[in-house]
């Protein structure tokens, strides 16, 4: 109350699924983010899959299980590859892609029996493996009007060439050449608007950012997952390209005044390279002093977004796995890539790691 905060914007999924938006509203404070019931689109994969099935929103075929015996029997019945997913939140680690039956059985054991993710593994979703290329589609909604944000593509794997285990995201670019205007319309009409209408119909009106993780493949668009928040690191390049006032957009969404809003986007391309602590997504060190932040941040059309950093004894130090999102604008994707990496090269700490190939997938698509 002392600071007279007009609007609170919630970043991560955990407070949303615990009901922070409901608490704020009860206290008469304005907040941007879905209610506890609406956040279940991310908080429970079984819930969001069930909703998609009931409202004909395209997604992978699946079944849900709360009994490991039945889950095992199902795996034996259908052919791999398949995907085993813990129902609840698991910080992005509860999804196991299984090329063979024994991997699926092991995933069921870890999630349901050994409870690797605690109560999040009381249920699993087992679904068909989808081929294609992934894209992230974010929209801001007040529960009725759905305003699309510029599409982005993430690089989830830790190593170059999309090798190694998945992370929260190692780099992004926007626009995504994969996402043509026709495809964008299809996603709006078949996924985003129907989802917001479905939530209204279910008595869980959805207000906030609706994030769809999509697989774009031969059979068209399918939803991999929904998130109830901004994506990291999708949001960094999207923000660099937004030419309208973010506060006005989020305030309108929180107050149910989005009707008629259309956003203006820069024609420039934006690329975000995530700098991570060596060892991430496994164990990593904290507390390394970061140098070069002012030089990089001072470059034109460059913004260094902090994620896992802290201030200690007058220095900025690392304090998380993904430490910085170094983001640049350019005339074309090539220039944006080059500028982002010039900025990255100015920044260093002991053990810093980043992928060297962020954006190249987009570049290949454009020159092909
Ligand atoms: P999710 O949290 O459900 O989006 O899953 C995390 C990641 O696992 C996705 O970004 C995809 O890379 C991969 N994934 C999830 N579901 C599938 C699927 N049905 N087919 C192929 N890959 C998948
Ligand atoms: N980059 C994926 C996410 O924010 O969930």
């Amino acid at each position: 109350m002392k600071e007279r905060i007009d609007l609170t914007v919630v970043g991560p999924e955990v407070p949303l699924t615990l009901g922070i938006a409901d608490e704020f509203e009860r206290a008469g404070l304005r907040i941007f983010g879905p209610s506890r019931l609406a956040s279940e689109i991310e908080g429970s994969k079984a819930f969001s899959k069930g909703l998609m099935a009931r409202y004909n929103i395209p997604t992978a075929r699946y079944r849900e299980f709360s009994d490991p015996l039945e889950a095992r029997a199902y795996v034996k019945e259908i052919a791999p590859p398949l995907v085993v997913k813990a129902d609840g939140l698991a910080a992005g680690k509860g999804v196991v892609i299984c090329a063979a039956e024994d991997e699926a059985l092991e995933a069921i054991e870890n999630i349901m029996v050994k409870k690797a993710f605690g109560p999040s593994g009381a249920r699993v979703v087992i679904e068909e493996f989808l081929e294609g290329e992934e894209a992230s589609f974010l929209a801001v909604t007040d529960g009725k009007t759905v305003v699309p944000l510029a599409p982005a593509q993430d690089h989830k794997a830790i190593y170059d060439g999309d090798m190694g285990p998945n992370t929260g995201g190692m780099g992004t670019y926007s626009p995504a050449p994969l996402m043509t205007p026709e495809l964008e319309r299809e996603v709006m009409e078949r996924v985003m608007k129907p989802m917001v209408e479905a939530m209204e119909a279910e008595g869980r009106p959805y207000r906030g950012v609706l994030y769809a993780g999509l697989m774009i493949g031969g059979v068209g668009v399918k939803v991999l997952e929904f998130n109830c928040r901004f994506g990291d690191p999708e949001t960094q390049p999207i923000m660099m390209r937004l030419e309208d006032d973010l506060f006005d957009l989020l305030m309108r969404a929180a107050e149910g005044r989005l009707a008629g809003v259309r956003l203006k986007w820069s024609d420039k391309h934006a690329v975000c390279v995530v700098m991570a602590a060596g060892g991430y997504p496994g164990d990593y060190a904290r507390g390394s002093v970061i140098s070069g932040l002012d030089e990089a941040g001072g470059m034109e059309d460059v913004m260094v977004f902090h994620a896992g950093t802290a201030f200690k004894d007058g220095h900025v130090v690392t304090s998380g796995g993904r430490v910085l999102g170094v983001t640049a604008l350019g005339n074309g994707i090539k220039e944006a890539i080059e500028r982002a990496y010039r900025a990255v090269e100015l920044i260093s700490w002991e053990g810093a790691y980043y992928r060297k190939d962020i954006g190249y997938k987009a570049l290949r698509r454009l020159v092909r």
Side-chain angles (χ1 to χ4, degrees), residues 45 83-96 111 117 124-125:
K45 291 196 190 281
V83 187
V84 178
K85 302 185 174 186
D87 174 48
L89 295 180
K93 300 191 179 92
V95 173
V96 189
I111 296 172
F117 309 107
V124 292
V125 162

Side-chain angles (χ1 to χ4, degrees), residues 33-49:
S35 67
R36 182 177 65 81
L37 286 178
S39 305
E40 261 197 65
I41 58 150
E42 177 166 2
S44 167
K45 291 196 190 281
F47 170 76
S48 77
K49 294 290 289 191

Side-chain angles (χ1 to χ4, degrees), residues 89-325:
L89 295 180
K93 300 191 179 92
V95 173
V96 189
I97 313 273
C98 309
E101 189 184 299
D102 56 343
E103 290 172 37
L105 296 177
E106 192 184 317
I108 291 168
E109 185 71 17
N110 277 336
I111 296 172
M112 300 187 86
V113 182
K114 294 188 182 150
K115 298 259 185 280
F117 309 107
S120 289
R123 275 194 291 186
V124 292
V125 162
I126 300 183
E127 67 180 31
E128 64 176 327
F129 176 81
L130 298 175
E131 309 233 22
E133 202 172 324
E134 281 180 59
S136 305
F137 199 102
L138 284 70
V140 170
T141 177
D142 59 5
K144 301 248 185 298
T145 304
V146 185
V147 179
L149 301 183
Q153 266 181 285
D154 190 2
H155 299 61
K156 298 210 181 227
I158 183 77
Y159 303 127
D160 288 9
D162 293 330
M163 304 302 278
N166 266 356
T167 69
M170 292 303 293
T172 33
Y173 50 89
S174 174
L178 169 73
M179 198 44 85
T180 58
E182 300 79 66
L183 204 53
E184 218 177 303
R185 264 195 299 278
E186 184 182 335
V187 172
M188 281 298 286
E189 298 307 322
R190 295 201 55 208
V191 176
M192 308 307 277
K193 289 183 189 168
M195 189 65 184
V196 170
E197 283 164 18
M199 294 298 278
E200 172 83 29
E202 295 280 313
R204 306 174 186 237
Y206 192 96
R207 213 175 247 193
V209 176
L210 179 63
Y211 167 133
L214 303 171
M215 189 67 93
I216 319 289
V219 290
V221 175
K222 293 205 173 173
V223 176
L224 293 173
E225 63 164 346
F226 283 110
N227 292 328
C228 62
R229 53 175 171 81
F230 284 108
D232 175 15
E234 287 89 343
T235 306
Q236 292 87 328
I238 293 174
M239 288 301 118
M240 294 287 276
R241 295 186 55 226
L242 178 64
E243 291 187 335
D244 285 300
D245 182 5
L246 179 66
F247 177 76
D248 183 57
L249 173 70
L250 303 184
M251 196 62 152
R252 281 171 176 276
E255 294 183 334
R257 295 189 288 110
L258 276 183
V261 170
R262 283 204 58 189
L263 298 173
K264 283 200 292 295
W265 299 98
S266 162
D267 289 334
K268 288 188 176 178
H269 290 237
V271 168
C272 170
V273 178
V274 169
M275 296 184 76
Y280 172 82
D283 288 340
Y284 52 83
R286 290 181 168 82
S288 309
V289 174
I290 305 172
S291 66
L293 286 170
D294 290 342
E295 293 84 335
M299 281 173 63
E300 206 180 316
D301 280 341
V302 169
M303 188 86 93
V304 180
F305 292 90
H306 288 232
T309 64
F311 206 56
K312 196 177 155 207
D313 304 330
H315 297 290
V316 179
V317 301
T318 66
S319 73
R322 291 185 298 156
V323 176
L324 301 169

